[in-house]
Amino acid sequence: MKMLKIVHWLGCFMLLCGSAVYLLTDWSLELQGMLLIATSIGLGLVFMSPYPVVLVIEWMKRQQALN
């Protein structure tokens, strides 16, 4: 669980960095910049996605154990 939390925060950081590069630089006008921005935002979203799913599954198990 701790590892998923670390990967989640790494994904948040990658998403923020990709967005910052897009908004604050002119790299988005070059091909390599587009690849860098798309990769960091895409991987950031992929890294962020498993943690909330695991939290919901654990919550469902706790709810089922209470019944």
Side-chain angles (χ1 to χ4, degrees), residues 22-47:
Y22 176 71
L23 294 173
L24 302 175
T25 66
D26 289 334
W27 284 4
S28 60
L29 302 176
E30 301 171 7
L31 180 61
Q32 291 176 341
M34 288 179 205
L35 289 173
L36 174 78
I37 292 166
T39 302
S40 64
I41 290 174
L43 284 176
L45 291 172
V46 167
F47 286 169

Side-chain angles (χ1 to χ4, degrees), residues 40-57:
S40 64
I41 290 174
L43 284 176
L45 291 172
V46 167
F47 286 169
M48 286 172 54
S49 61
Y51 184 65
V53 173
V54 170
L55 287 178
V56 168
I57 291 171

Side-chain angles (χ1 to χ4, degrees), residues 5-17 40-41 43-48:
K5 190 180 274 190
I6 291 170
V7 171
H8 178 79
W9 285 110
L10 176 67
C12 290
F13 180 71
M14 289 177 69
L15 178 65
L16 289 175
C17 285
S40 64
I41 290 174
L43 284 176
L45 291 172
V46 167
F47 286 169
M48 286 172 54

